[in-house]
Amino acid sequence: MRALLVLVVVAIAAVCTTTAVADSLYPKCSGTILEDKAPQTQPERILSVIEGGKLMKGVRITCVAFQVRSMSSAGVCEIPHQTQYPFRLFLRARGTTSDNKPYSDEFDIRDTVGGSINRLTVSVPTSSKFEVVFLNTATNSDCMLSIRSIITTSELTGTEDDHTPTIVSVDPQTVYQNSPTHFVVKHSDAHSTKDEMFLVPIESICTDTITRTPLTKESDAALLKKYLTPYGSTTSNYDVWVSTNPNADNYRVCHSSAGAGGSEVALLTVFKGNPSYFDVVTGDDTEGKIYVGSPVTIKFVGYNLDTRPNRDRAKLVEDSKSCDAGAPAGGVPMATDLGPADSYGPETTFTTWTFTITSSGSFRVCYMRAGTGWVDVPSI
């Protein structure tokens, strides 16, 4: 994430100038773009066979970025009032156990986007081949979904803990300070009821016992039902952990088996506010500059956002002013009707804003969720 909190806008010269439009679909990842389409009638697509099908005891997902779109007419694939579509994105592991029985398991990775989870560990009890799978889960047979993705991985070394669980769901996907976050973790084999999960600062290691911030195992029956129901009737290999989140910073998510040692499950970025960050989708050049008179679209990433008219709002203010006190600047009026239209609720994880600046300068990007105050939103 860039520390820069402002949009730099420059005036266009009198001569004819062409403004470059950056493709910011994958702001965090570099690698091969994986693309496919999945109709509801043939819903599964294998996007990639990791390391050419090499047998491995586990992989570390170093970066995930994707965009799913509907290829059908309006209303066929959409979840009402939400910005997400019905699909799964997961790793499938296939192997053979020591007693020559087939082994297969699946680990959802859809929630590892959003900027909070990185370096996700997927460990299995027997050497396996790993596939990246996209699954259309819509109920309407006319629904066709497409995906563009970049997913980079590395093989776990022999020094990794075979019993490290995998985070398969995060609620909310973008984690911010002083707000509860639920982590659903999946164990690939038997695990102890004395297992522990905790955070340590990014500069520490998981075996460090001094800097640990413990996570709490969820015990509320209603919340357990909410988070475990998607995984079927057999959930003995799942646990739900809760973090109240320390200050905005970078952390390691760690696991300890029966209180011994500690292994890294993932890296976690805790953001300062909600929305967590914005990305310029179209309208900036290769240096991140935006030009007067050129349309710009930015995408806010967060949780429980609301694009109904006069709900969530956005504005630009002069860099020298605060978001609370600053008046709309750059010739851009305050936005009171963000896109996509009529989206709200916990699964509304992004909003968009298209505007054209008419005067140059440096500006803060500010956002106000319905019923809350103005916050600075950083760029990624």
Side-chain angles (χ1 to χ4, degrees):
M1 184 176 68
R2 296 182 303 200
L4 182 66
L5 300 182
V6 299
L7 289 175
V8 178
V9 183
V10 297
I12 297 179
V15 297
C16 180
T17 304
T18 301
T19 303
V21 177
D23 182 358
S24 300
L25 181 59
Y26 310 110
K28 299 178 297 173
C29 300
S30 61
T32 302
I33 296 178
L34 308 173
E35 297 183 272
D36 213 331
K37 300 176 183 178
Q40 191 270 352
T41 52
Q42 295 179 305
E44 182 177 299
R45 290 292 185 269
I46 297 175
L47 299 178
S48 173
V49 178
I50 297 175
E51 296 284 343
K54 177 182 178 181
L55 291 172
M56 298 178 285
K57 287 298 295 292
V59 296
R60 176 158 282 147
I61 303 172
T62 53
C63 201
V64 177
F66 64 81
Q67 183 178 60
V68 174
R69 290 178 174 173
S70 170
M71 305 296 289
S72 304
S73 56
V76 172
C77 297
E78 288 80 357
I79 301 173
H81 309 299
Q82 303 295 309
T83 58
Q84 299 199 34
Y85 296 105
F87 70 93
R88 287 181 63 202
L89 184 65
F90 59 92
L91 287 191
R92 177 184 289 139
R94 300 179 190 267
T96 304
T97 64
S98 57
D99 54 356
N100 207 34
K101 294 181 179 179
Y103 165 81
S104 180
D105 208 348
E106 296 175 356
F107 302 88
D108 287 89
I109 60 173
R110 172 174 171 166
D111 285 354
T112 60
V113 299
S116 282
I117 292 292
N118 197 8
R119 278 175 55 89
L120 183 70
T121 297
V122 180
S123 178
V124 294
T126 188
S127 294
S128 302
K129 298 179 181 180
F130 289 85
E131 303 167 336
V132 180
V133 183
F134 174 62
L135 183 68
N136 179 344
T137 60
T139 57
N140 190 323
S141 61
D142 293 328
C143 176
M144 169 84 79
L145 295 177
S146 68
I147 184 170
R148 296 183 70 214
S149 64
I150 296 178
I151 301 171
T152 58
T153 62
S154 62
E155 181 180 1
L156 292 185
T157 67
T159 60
E160 302 287 347
D161 186 347
D162 290 344
H163 303 290
T164 302
T166 300
I167 296 174
V168 294
S169 181
V170 184
D171 183 32
Q173 293 178 14
T174 46
V175 178
Y176 49 101
Q177 67 181 9
N178 301 321
S179 179
T181 299
H182 284 81
F183 299 92
V184 180
V185 301
K186 181 176 183 178
H187 299 264
S188 60
D189 56 2
H191 64 286
S192 170
T193 56
K194 297 181 179 180
D195 283 5
E196 298 176 352
M197 300 242 345
F198 51 92
L199 305 180
V200 299
I202 192 70
E203 61 269 15
S204 300
I205 58 177
C206 287
T207 53
D208 187 346
T209 59
I210 304 299
T211 59
R212 294 183 176 184
T213 300
L215 274 62
T216 304
K217 188 173 288 188
E218 182 59 74
S219 58
D220 183 272
L223 287 173
L224 288 172
K225 180 179 180 180
K226 170 186 175 180
Y227 290 115
L228 296 181
T229 295
Y231 303 102
S233 58
T234 304
T235 57
S236 59
N237 57 336
Y238 291 87
D239 286 320
V240 182
W241 294 85
V242 187
S243 170
T244 54
N245 300 328
N247 293 331
D249 209 337
N250 295 307
Y251 301 88
R252 299 184 194 275
V253 183
C254 304
H255 168 262
S256 176
S257 182
S263 59
E264 182 185 300
V265 178
L267 300 185
L268 173 71
T269 298
V270 177
F271 293 96
K272 188 174 182 179
N274 183 24
S276 303
Y277 61 86
F278 75 86
D279 183 25
V280 180
V281 178
T282 59
D284 63 341
D285 66 12
T286 56
E287 296 179 350
K289 293 179 180 179
I290 291 169
Y291 291 87
V292 170
S294 296
V296 177
T297 297
I298 63 177
K299 178 180 179 180
F300 297 99
V301 177
Y303 169 72
N304 202 16
L305 306 179
D306 191 337
T307 68
R308 291 174 292 182
N310 298 311
R311 301 292 291 173
D312 288 9
R313 301 164 186 259
K315 66 179 178 179
L316 303 180
V317 303
E318 294 179 3
D319 183 36
S320 60
K321 305 292 179 62
S322 69
C323 282
D324 281 329
V332 180
M334 181 173 62
T336 60
D337 193 5
L338 303 171
D342 196 33
S343 295
Y344 58 92
E347 294 301 315
T348 297
T349 56
F350 73 87
T351 60
T352 58
W353 180 27
T354 299
F355 55 88
T356 301
I357 296 178
T358 60
S359 60
S360 60
S362 294
F363 305 99
R364 294 183 183 274
V365 178
C366 305
Y367 197 99
M368 183 171 68
R369 293 170 56 229
T372 67
W374 286 103
V375 295
D376 274 300
V377 185
S379 61
I380 58 173

